[in-house]
Every structure is written in C-alpha cells, then in structure tokens.
Amino acid sequence: ANSVKIYPNPSMDNFTIDLGDHDAAANIKVFDSYGRMMVEQQTEKQQIELATQQWESGIYFLEIRSENAILTRDKLILTK
C-alpha cells in the first residue's frame, strides 16, 4: 500500500511530503516538465517540506524511491 501523502496539491508555495509508515531512508527527486531535476534529497524523516517558492507555476514530477523500490510517482501542481 502506498501511504505517501503530498499536500497541499495544488500548492501556491510549499509542499509537505508525508512518507507515512515508510521508516527507512528515501530519495526524493522532483523534475520540471522539461525533465530538469529541481530537487534531489535524501531523507530519513517521515515528513519533509519541499520549498518551492522560487519555482515557476506549472506541473512538476515527483519520484520517491526507497533502496529497492519506487514508493510513489506523482505530479505536483504549483499555482502562483
């Protein structure tokens, strides 16, 4: 079961990523619609804040992986 939650989505400034019951290290990547990597971040926390105030409005693609699996792939919608 995928217990990852991302909110608010759409967002006007930041996104919160809640990894739910996943308690090991996770690798978070966000790409823009051109495939450019905006963020790559390792975390062991259950909840992290993605600071996107400097980004332009649009659709971004989030991928969260654990060591051996993809936990989630999702779209982030940023509206300014």
Side-chain angles (χ1 to χ4, degrees):
N2 180 351
S3 58
V4 176
K5 294 185 184 68
I6 298 137
Y7 56 88
N9 193 11
S11 175
M12 292 167 72
D13 55 10
N14 289 342
F15 294 91
T16 298
I17 299 172
D18 187 330
L19 296 175
D21 54 18
H22 180 73
D23 57 1
N27 178 263
I28 296 167
K29 290 182 183 172
V30 180
F31 300 91
D32 69 8
S33 56
Y34 301 103
R36 290 182 296 217
M37 194 186 301
M38 305 294 289
V39 168
E40 181 173 20
Q41 186 172 347
Q42 276 300 121
T43 185
E44 297 200 6
K45 293 191 215 148
Q46 186 186 337
Q47 194 167 304
I48 68 154
E49 182 110 335
L50 209 53
T52 55
Q53 302 96 322
Q54 307 301 317
W55 300 7
E56 293 180 16
S57 295
I59 296 176
Y60 295 86
F61 299 92
L62 170 74
E63 183 180 276
I64 304 176
R65 290 177 175 262
S66 64
E67 208 170 293
N68 48 17
I70 293 176
L71 299 177
T72 193
R73 280 200 174 115
D74 217 332
K75 283 183 189 165
L76 303 177
I77 299 168
L78 192 58
T79 57
K80 301 273 176 143

